[in-house]
Amino acid sequence: MAPAKRKATTTVDAARKESRRSTSVASERIPHRNVLPANIRPDPEAQHKQTIMWNCDNVSTIDDNGRNSPTYTIRGMKWYIRVRTETSERTQNEQQFSVYIYCLEKNNLDTWYADVLSNVTLINRRDTTKNKKERFSYRFSHGLSNSGYASFVKMSELLAPEQARTIIIIGYILNNTIKIEVVISVVKIHGLTPPATVYDFTQPIEHLTDGILIVGGKPVHISKQILATNSPVFEALFFRGFREAKQEEIELEEVDYDEFVELLQTLYVPDKEINPTNCGYLLKMADRFQMKHSILLKLQKPSDVVSLKNQRDYVPISDTMKLIVTEHQLKLMNKKP
């Protein structure tokens, strides 16, 4: 039986006291690194990689007009798979089963491009060790929207009666359906603005989840190490002998779910911006969890701090926090351009 959840309002207060006992005023003002710890930093390529598993039916009716898979979004760009038959000089005038990857980017600028690594696999339903695999890299750009294989496999072999098929082809078609796996990795984009990284904390994130907090009655999947790196309060809660450290779930009371998720996005994404909409409540939570420097480092201009001070949520934060904000503002004002 899983351990019971434990409410953590008083526990967070105790963790705050514990962190203060073990942290001097001078060391508390040393900025915590607002980066993912190196040992759990996700693979940049993996963040923009997607596996498309497509069951293409009615294989026997595929012709030169082709058939398209559903559309998938990878790194803010639309992609789909197209299969067709082709009989041409490049297929040595034999009818071939062809597989292509298409990019649906509609930007008319001729300077953009996207570098892609792709793995295409034709799944053998009987023996996966006989899967047919191809790998290629390609630079998609304006006017060059597709790439793939004109001669993936001969249609005569693919559709022949089973007894006439070669050992390589047997097992690829089941009930007139073929299964294709395509892994697309968008490793570089030039000339386009990629969408901001947004993490989904409603479910575990690979390599970035080792705990669950209950906030506003909802589970939030978190990395204890990331929170502890940025907050001595969470460091004390998770790693200094509190009973909650052994609980499967810890409930945080008096914390707004959406605001806490925004705080996590700020900690997880290095280029996440602090703006007039979120800076007030982010600073309030930063005050509570003693992660003020992780937030202040996002404010790069004196005007950013002025905007923050004008927010309604700035009023109830502690005098100590207000002093630190003012010190940060003075540092920015005295900073040489």
Side-chain angles (χ1 to χ4, degrees), residues 77 103-109 112 142 192:
M77 307 173 75
C103 176
L104 283 175
E105 176 58 45
K106 300 298 184 181
N107 196 309
N108 290 323
L109 295 176
W112 77 269
H142 181 65
L192 299 173

Side-chain angles (χ1 to χ4, degrees), residues 79 101-105 112 138 140-147:
W79 305 83
I101 297 173
Y102 273 76
C103 176
L104 283 175
E105 176 58 45
W112 77 269
Y138 188 73
F140 291 82
S141 62
H142 181 65
L144 297 173
S145 62
N146 69 85
S147 181

Side-chain angles (χ1 to χ4, degrees), residues 8-9 11-20 22-23 32 210-215 220 222-242 244-245 250-253 255 259-261 263-264 267-268 282 284-292 294:
T9 301
T11 307
V12 169
D13 293 337
R16 284 170 58 89
K17 293 178 181 178
E18 174 66 21
S19 67
R20 286 169 180 163
S22 60
T23 309
H32 293 284
D210 59 4
I212 300 175
L213 298 177
I214 303 299
V215 182
V220 180
I222 52 92
S223 164
K224 294 179 181 179
Q225 189 169 353
I226 291 178
L227 287 179
T229 299
N230 289 278
S231 164
V233 175
F234 282 113
E235 193 273 336
L237 179 63
F238 296 142
F239 302 114
R240 292 196 193 164
F242 281 87
E244 281 70 19
I250 301 175
E251 183 172 358
L252 297 182
E253 289 190 329
V255 178
E259 293 180 357
F260 190 75
V261 168
L263 175 67
L264 292 179
L267 298 178
Y268 280 56
L282 286 179
K284 183 172 62 176
M285 284 192 291
D287 188 19
R288 178 178 180 183
F289 297 119
Q290 297 178 11
M291 55 175 66
K292 51 191 74 73
S294 297

Side-chain angles (χ1 to χ4, degrees), residues 76-93:
M77 307 173 75
K78 303 293 185 181
W79 305 83
Y80 69 89
I81 311 304
R82 188 181 190 195
V83 295
R84 60 187 292 264
T85 60
E86 180 173 343
T87 306
S88 64
E89 290 185 3
R90 64 180 181 177
T91 66
Q92 298 180 343
N93 294 316

Side-chain angles (χ1 to χ4, degrees), residues 171-189:
Y172 289 106
I173 294 180
L174 179 64
N175 298 326
N176 206 21
T177 299
I178 196 167
K179 192 172 186 178
I180 302 172
E181 178 187 270
V182 180
V183 180
I184 299 177
S185 299
V186 183
V187 296
K188 183 178 181 180
I189 292 178

Side-chain angles (χ1 to χ4, degrees), residues 315-327:
V315 177
I317 67 173
S318 68
D319 291 338
T320 300
M321 186 66 189
K322 289 178 180 177
L323 177 60
I324 293 175
V325 171
T326 300
E327 290 177 348

